[in-house]
Amino acid sequence: MNVYDGQRISAMLEKHGMTQTEDVKDADLIILNTCAVRAKATDKVYSALGRIRRAKKESALLGIVGCVARESGGDAFKRIPELNFVLGPQSYHKLPEIIKNPDTKLLNIDMSGLEKFDELPQITKSPTVAYIPIQEGCNHCCTYCIVPYTRGRELSRPFDDVVRDTINAAKTGAIEICFLGQNVNGYKYTDKNGKLYRLSDLIKSAAELPEIHRIRFTSSYPTEMTDDLIEMFKQEPKLLPFLNMPIQSGSPRILKKMNRPNDIGAYKDIVQKLKLARPDIQISSDFIVGFPDETDEDFAETLRIAREIKYINSYSFKYSPRPHTAAALMSNQISEQIKSVRLQQLDSLLNENQREFNISCIDREMICLCEGPDKTGRNLIFRTPYMQQCIVEKPNTEIQPLQKIKITDANKASLRGEIIK
Ligand code: 5AD
Ligand code: SF4
């Protein structure tokens, strides 16, 4: 979501005659687009602001946008007096105001709606992977999560607007569409005739575009994997055989405290249905270790489910208490030391799953999407349909962004392959 927001902010500022610079000392306007999901991310913002305020030109405008802006509100000005603006995730379309009135301090952390999508310019050149937000906010209120506070209640964008953005992305260079939302499969839009549109309708409409070859979406809430959406994995070959469907913990007791769906059997049934629809599907998850009151037995259940589902491409985090959340006030908070040990154990299991899956791909042929050259410039980096990184020696001839690649080698982090002519 932040990558997308960053692209839209750049496009908007370019319309106001600005260009990007890599050097803080040259900048007239410095924006930190921020994430507040864990304390570490917020801390990083403030340490970066400390560095930037000393390095920047005196006249340069400095501000934060996104979730830390919403989390901190007016306090941000107290912590960093040099700040000129603090704009929440729904208000960055107000940036031109600060350019016009550089002497005022601008604070806007309203959660009123999704007007930003209407007021931002359309992208005129799309990257090969176009991120398209379809909904923002979340109604689930997991007890550890700051997102319902920073991004607000769920709001789905009008179906026609998303279709227009998808067509625009396709016409301006996109090959892959990634539909985005904090609760992406909760997408529900009813038009004025009372017709309800779901994520499956958006997938169908993107799949009709000849320019679009790959479709994915993130991040999904397990119990909102409705049958129409699961059916898409059967019907739509353009939908990649890879799904991020976070479980967070394998312990029903902890899931209950997290206010997450805690029927592990029902979760496994969804995985089973997905496999029936697309036998080669792979699932990824996010995990939180060290949630308040998590015992060794609870954690063992997390290891068990990770082993059983054989998740690939997963993320694991130490629980981080966040303001405005219920879990931050719960008793039996877990020590950093125990969190670190559990994280390491889970990570090594997830890495092993990934390594096994990567090795199972050797000798397979896959259509992969080129991301561009690696740091050495000698190789090209591709993404497989499972979002693995695949490194290929750069050929002398021009290549198309989509290539059939034979996987020749693999380790835990990536694959190696050869382009098949
Ligand atoms: N502490 C640790 N991880 C968190 N996440 C969300 N809130 C927290 C928190 N307070 C993780 C969840 C979510 C991912 C985006 O971030 O795993 O799926
Ligand atoms: Fe946060 Fe995701 Fe839970 Fe919503 S579903 S509250 S975004 S973790």
Side-chain angles (χ1 to χ4, degrees):
M1 192 68 95
N2 274 9
V3 170
Y4 166 86
D5 284 341
Q7 288 168 353
R8 297 294 291 257
I9 290 170
S10 307
M12 180 173 66
L13 295 174
E14 274 163 23
K15 265 208 149 171
H16 283 81
M18 308 198 97
T19 52
Q20 283 190 42
T21 170
E22 295 297 316
D23 191 343
V24 161
K25 292 196 281 303
D26 287 339
D28 299 306
L29 173 64
I30 303 160
I31 304 165
L32 272 79
N33 185 20
T34 61
C35 170
V37 79
R38 283 169 292 278
K40 207 162 148 192
T42 300
D43 296 346
K44 273 189 192 165
V45 172
Y46 281 100
S47 59
L49 282 170
R51 254 179 288 122
I52 292 168
R53 71 174 166 185
R54 287 188 292 275
K56 76 178 188 72
K57 286 195 289 203
E58 189 156 347
S59 61
L61 296 170
L62 173 64
I64 53 176
V65 302
C67 288
V68 175
R70 164 81 182 152
E71 178 196 352
S72 305
D75 281 350
F77 291 117
K78 288 188 203 136
R79 283 180 74 170
I80 309 282
E82 290 86 348
L83 277 177
N84 301 88
F85 56 95
V86 173
L87 295 174
Q90 284 359 339
S91 355
Y92 59 72
H93 57 287
K94 308 260 181 215
L95 270 169
E97 282 178 27
I98 194 76
I99 305 173
K100 281 187 217 126
N101 306 298
D103 297 327
T104 55
K105 296 237 175 214
L106 182 62
L107 170 68
N108 189 317
I109 52 167
D110 293 352
M111 304 300 287
S112 46
L114 297 178
E115 311 92 78
K116 70 172 179 193
F117 291 110
D118 307 326
E119 297 194 26
L120 293 168
Q122 279 291 322
I123 287 170
T124 50
K125 191 178 174 316
S126 186
T128 47
V129 180
Y131 293 104
I132 301 187
I134 64 170
Q135 63 84 231
E136 272 213 45
C138 187
N139 288 351
H140 283 301
C141 298
C142 303
T143 53
Y144 52 80
C145 187
I146 197 173
V147 165
Y149 176 78
T150 57
R151 296 252 176 188
R153 306 290 287 169
E154 257 167 52
L155 276 173
S156 292
R157 295 180 64 202
F159 179 75
D160 288 347
D161 289 7
V162 179
V163 170
R164 183 202 60 210
D165 284 2
T166 312
I167 294 173
N168 183 51
K171 300 284 176 238
T172 56
I175 290 173
E176 177 176 307
I177 296 289
C178 179
F179 290 123
L180 285 180
Q182 273 82 37
N183 183 28
V184 75
N185 56 347
Y187 178 85
K188 278 183 206 79
Y189 180 75
T190 310
D191 71 9
K192 48 183 186 311
N193 304 320
K195 182 166 165 39
L196 174 70
Y197 293 93
R198 302 292 318 251
L199 175 57
S200 53
D201 298 303
L202 289 170
I203 293 169
K204 277 184 224 154
S205 83
E208 280 168 12
L209 301 169
E211 298 87 347
I212 300 302
H213 294 262
R214 310 195 345 161
I215 303 168
R216 60 190 167 102
F217 54 89
T218 195
S219 217
S220 292
Y221 194 76
T223 51
E224 298 205 68
M225 284 308 299
T226 46
D227 288 343
D228 58 315
L229 185 53
I230 294 175
E231 184 64 20
M232 285 297 102
F233 284 95
K234 192 165 173 187
Q235 278 179 17
E236 263 321 324
K238 290 183 181 181
L239 188 59
L240 293 182
F242 175 65
L243 175 70
N244 174 252
M245 187 171 71
I247 191 164
Q248 310 293 356
S249 164
S251 155
R253 202 179 71 86
I254 293 299
L255 287 167
K256 191 146 192 256
K257 286 173 188 268
M258 287 177 164
N259 193 29
R260 299 273 305 177
N262 74 339
D263 183 343
I264 301 286
Y267 183 94
K268 286 192 207 163
D269 287 347
I270 299 167
V271 173
Q272 218 34 53
K273 275 193 192 173
L274 285 160
K275 286 200 168 143
L276 270 177
R278 184 74 70 89
D280 62 343
I281 199 166
Q282 297 293 329
I283 316 279
S284 95
S285 178
D286 296 355
F287 294 94
I288 296 177
V289 301
F291 187 81
D293 207 28
E294 185 187 66
T295 61
D296 285 343
E297 290 76 47
D298 293 316
F299 177 62
E301 292 186 274
T302 299
L303 292 177
R304 197 173 311 141
I305 193 83
R307 206 173 286 125
E308 190 177 331
I309 308 271
K310 283 202 173 294
Y311 291 108
I312 65 158
N313 278 356
S314 295
Y315 295 93
S316 44
F317 310 101
K318 290 192 230 177
Y319 167 70
S320 163
R322 306 304 294 126
H324 316 285
T325 63
L329 306 173
M330 287 180 184
S331 50
N332 297 342
Q333 298 279 331
I334 305 297
S335 73
E336 274 308 299
Q337 200 196 349
I338 293 179
K339 284 183 201 168
S340 299
V341 172
R342 289 182 184 165
L343 185 68
Q344 211 193 348
Q345 260 182 291
L346 178 60
D347 275 348
S348 66
L349 174 61
L350 294 172
N351 285 339
E352 188 47 32
N353 281 357
Q354 183 76 42
R355 199 181 67 90
E356 268 179 34
F357 178 63
N358 286 355
I359 286 173
S360 77
C361 293
I362 295 177
D363 288 338
R364 277 180 68 178
E365 293 176 2
M366 301 186 193
I367 312 266
C368 300
L369 182 67
C370 187
E371 265 187 357
D374 71 354
K375 278 196 217 106
T376 67
R378 285 194 296 274
N379 300 304
L380 292 173
I381 297 181
F382 284 83
R383 286 277 159 197
T384 71
Y386 303 101
M387 302 311 289
Q388 299 144 293
Q389 192 181 61
C390 180
I391 301 163
V392 172
E393 201 173 308
K394 198 170 174 185
N396 298 326
T397 49
E398 272 287 292
I399 61 139
Q400 296 300 313
L402 278 175
Q403 287 288 336
K404 195 180 220 186
I405 289 179
K406 179 166 182 181
I407 309 302
T408 54
D409 201 1
N411 61 30
K412 154 184 130 241
S414 62
L415 309 173
R416 279 208 156 257
E418 286 164 3
I419 294 176
I420 298 175
K421 295 273 163 16

